[in-house]
Each structure stands twice: as C-alpha cells, then as structure tokens.
Amino acid sequence: MYVWPSAPVLAQYIWYHSNQMVGKNVLELGAGTSLPGVIAAKCGANVILSDASQLPRCLENCSRSCLVNSLQNVQVEGITWGEFSPNMFTLPPLDIVLAADCFYDLKDFENVIVTVHFLLKRNPTGKFWCTYQERNSDWSIESLLAKWQLKCKHITLSSFGADCVSIAGSNLPGNHTIWMMEMNLK
C-alpha cells in the first residue's frame, strides 16, 4: 500500500487538533491506506472511511488499515466522487470531511468539489479538511469553489508542525509542495 505525501500532513493536522476530534463524526474521502482517518479514530472520532465503490481493493485496504490498527468500530463505505449512491444519503451527520491528495488529476477536481458540496449542504456546520500535493502550479480550484459556493482558508503547515520533509520519523512528505486547506459553505 502506498501512502501519498500529503496524508502524513493531514494526519499531523488531525493529531495537532486531537482534542477537537473526540466524539466528532468524520468521513474520509478517497481514504486509500486511511492514515488520516485512522488517526482521527485513534483520537476518539467516529470515523467512516470511503474510497471508490468500483475499486474493491481500495475498500479492502481501508478495512485492512483498521484491522492492523485495532480499530473495530470504523465503517468502510464505497463512495465515488461525483456519484450520489444511496449510501451517501444514509451517512450520519458529519462534523468533518477529510481528504488527502484527492486533487491529483484535473479531470476529478469538480467531482471531488461537488461531492464535498453535497456533504456540506447536508451538514451546514461541517468542515472539509484537505491536503494536496501541488503537481502543476497552473491548476486551480478557485472557479470551482465559487461555482459550488465553498469558501476556502489556506492553513500554513508551520502552524501545526508539518513544514518539514519528515513527519513522525517517515520520509514523507519529502520535498513535495503540500498545501492544507479548510473549506466550508459560503
């Protein structure tokens, strides 16, 4: 299993805010190896991990991450960005939606944003915490944020101790340019 460089940064942000996680309902989108969601669960949040419904191996990876981290009460759901399957309508009220490195392919940007908009519309006080690796400085989500009525606050990595090439003894995020954002409804 591969951990994307922005996942430890988001996990560090969650750990930095661990006192705010207790009892919160948290959904991780595109969880993959589930590092941010696992940290949120270890901090006392009620976590749902999700990845693309048509990729069962990704969902198995989420389940495996729970198993190896002794997390028995974490739910795993198939949620595909831009698709509104029945399980999207049965999610509990969410306080925080997480995503690490979901803005990696330009063709998926609007699908990610529309999914986040849908989730926040159903949970108006909810927040979207997102980290991503800059792959092309010409790519932007600003027009999508305006279209889907989301406001975004950039969070400096130094504000939570993630402005380094190595977090928690790993070699991640390395020398990649990582950004941290918090979004909510306008």
Side-chain angles (χ1 to χ4, degrees):
M1 293 194 291
Y2 180 75
V3 176
W4 293 95
S6 60
V9 174
L10 184 54
Q12 176 78 10
Y13 187 76
I14 293 163
W15 181 251
Y16 188 81
H17 295 287
S18 59
N19 60 333
Q20 297 175 31
M21 301 304 295
V22 178
K24 297 292 186 192
N25 290 331
V26 175
L27 169 69
E28 184 177 1
L29 296 173
T33 58
S34 314
L35 178 60
V38 164
I39 296 299
K42 291 285 188 177
C43 290
N46 306 307
V47 175
I48 301 169
L49 301 173
S50 72
D51 214 312
S53 56
Q54 71 274 20
L55 299 173
R57 288 187 63 195
C58 290
L59 297 171
E60 290 169 16
N61 287 342
C62 292
S63 295
R64 196 170 330 140
S65 290
C66 292
L67 182 66
V68 299
N69 285 286
S70 302
L71 297 172
Q72 298 163 353
N73 296 321
V74 174
Q75 187 178 335
V76 176
E77 290 285 343
I79 295 177
T80 301
W81 308 325
E83 294 181 12
F84 302 97
S85 58
N87 59 348
M88 291 274 290
F89 293 90
T90 60
L91 291 170
L94 298 171
D95 300 298
I96 301 168
V97 178
L98 304 171
D101 228 348
C102 289
F103 295 110
Y104 61 85
D105 191 340
L106 192 57
K107 72 176 176 52
D108 293 323
F109 284 19
E110 188 157 23
N111 287 334
V112 173
I113 292 292
V114 74
T115 302
V116 169
H117 177 264
F118 172 83
L119 293 168
L120 293 180
K121 271 299 228 194
R122 291 179 55 89
N123 304 279
T125 60
K127 297 186 181 311
F128 176 52
W129 293 353
C130 172
T131 52
Y132 71 96
Q133 176 185 336
E134 183 178 300
R135 290 176 171 78
N136 185 327
S137 60
D138 293 331
W139 292 356
S140 175
I141 60 170
E142 283 186 49
S143 63
L144 293 172
L145 294 174
K147 177 180 177 178
W148 292 101
Q149 301 175 338
L150 295 170
K151 59 183 174 181
C152 177
K153 174 175 73 171
H154 285 273
I155 298 168
T156 61
L157 302 188
S158 62
S159 70
F160 58 97
D163 57 336
C164 52
V165 297
S166 175
I167 294 177
S170 73
N171 61 351
L172 293 173
N175 290 317
H176 302 284
T177 300
I178 307 294
W179 297 97
M180 170 78 204
M181 302 179 291
E182 179 181 289
M183 295 181 207
N184 54 1
L185 294 175
K186 282 188 178 178

